[in-house]
Amino acid sequence: MEIKVLTNVLKANDNIARDNNTDFTTNQVLAINLMSSPGSGKTTLLENTITLLQADFRIGVIEGDLQTTIDAERIQKLNIPVVQINTAGGCHLDANLVRNAVKNLALNEIDLLFIENVGNLVCPAEYQLGEHKRVVLLSIAEGDDKPIKYPAVFRNADVLIITKMDLLPNSDFELARARQDATQINPAIEIFEISCKTGRGLTAWCDWLRQQVKC
Ligand code: MG
Ligand code: ZN
């Protein structure tokens, strides 16, 4: 019974996600869903990515949070369109929340739309938003066991970004293990190692984004 209810919820969500995807594609918007635990550096990665790409692309952001507009305010300082979704305690974004948020954006004036999901490694994996690409972040501070503990989000992602690489020398994080586990779960996953503090890896990540926007 429980399982059937969830299946129906997800089916309804997927239908709305398809409409979102059609709208993005029609307007030539590349939509990226950013997922991770709280504190892994999604907003910081966004700030750095936007700064590097905003001369070449028109960028927009949808910020998902339980409450507050702290992250949206950070993004707004970069002078790009940003819409905040407060889920009022909800632990993931769904396609309908995104659909309503998109009404506040001029899609025909955006090339690249980042959707920062609620910090959570569990249910965001199950909810399609209409995105073209899914990116999961894993910070060195979280530990290398996350791919095997939360396989769904890694299985469904196109890209894994290992963040806070500057912390690696003083941590127990086994980089090879995290990479190997993620690749075993999802052989097609592309992996970037980034430190927003030192700038390491940002160029490779931005090059990947440039390539996707062109496609
Ligand atoms: Mg954030
Ligand atoms: Zn949830």
Side-chain angles (χ1 to χ4, degrees):
M1 184 66 184
E2 284 285 310
I3 289 168
K4 195 167 177 215
V5 170
L6 182 62
T7 305
N8 288 339
V9 166
L10 288 176
K11 208 174 268 175
N13 182 77
D14 286 352
N15 288 335
I16 302 169
R18 213 163 296 136
D19 292 341
N20 289 346
N21 188 271
T22 301
D23 289 348
F24 296 146
T25 304
T26 305
N27 286 285
Q28 294 182 295
V29 175
L30 178 77
I32 308 260
N33 180 3
L34 286 177
M35 302 174 290
S36 78
S37 314
S40 63
K42 292 186 294 303
T43 313
T44 303
L45 178 71
L46 268 183
E47 288 173 318
N48 283 272
T49 303
I50 291 163
T51 304
L52 287 168
L53 291 180
Q54 72 183 149
D56 300 325
F57 302 110
R58 300 170 299 172
I59 303 173
V61 173
I62 295 174
E63 273 292 337
D65 270 304
L66 299 173
Q67 46 200 1
T68 82
T69 54
I70 294 170
D71 287 356
E73 285 163 31
R74 286 170 62 185
I75 299 298
Q76 206 154 37
K77 290 199 176 114
L78 302 169
N79 286 314
I80 62 160
V82 53
V83 181
Q84 175 78 51
I85 300 175
N86 280 140
T87 60
C91 50
H92 58 267
L93 292 182
D94 64 34
N96 199 44
L97 287 169
V98 169
R99 188 140 194 86
N100 286 324
V102 164
K103 289 176 187 158
N104 298 297
L105 288 171
L107 281 186
N108 56 342
E109 293 169 13
I110 292 174
D111 305 310
L112 181 55
L113 176 66
F114 292 104
I115 305 168
E116 181 178 334
N117 218 310
V118 178
N120 176 355
L121 274 181
V122 187
C123 31
E126 309 294 337
Y127 286 82
Q128 306 278 346
L129 305 179
E131 71 275 35
H132 297 104
K133 297 288 175 186
R134 299 183 137 205
V135 175
V136 59
L137 280 67
L138 167 62
S139 73
I140 295 297
E142 288 167 70
D144 52 33
D145 57 355
K146 295 302 169 291
I148 45 168
K149 280 190 170 172
Y150 302 94
V153 72
F154 295 90
R155 188 175 299 121
N156 294 328
D158 299 286
V159 169
L160 163 62
I161 299 184
I162 303 176
T163 58
K164 308 193 186 183
M165 283 296 293
D166 51 285
L167 298 178
L168 188 64
N170 296 312
S171 83
D172 299 327
F173 192 102
E174 287 182 38
L175 192 57
R177 179 188 170 189
R179 292 187 66 110
Q180 192 185 329
D181 288 346
T183 307
Q184 195 144 16
I185 292 161
N186 178 355
I189 202 163
E190 286 205 55
I191 304 177
F192 295 95
E193 299 172 1
I194 287 182
S195 164
C196 287
K197 247 192 184 129
T198 66
R200 168 179 173 177
L202 281 169
T203 306
W205 155 241
C206 287
D207 285 348
W208 182 86
L209 284 168
R210 285 174 196 280
Q211 205 56 45
Q212 305 307 312
V213 177
K214 275 191 221 148
C215 293

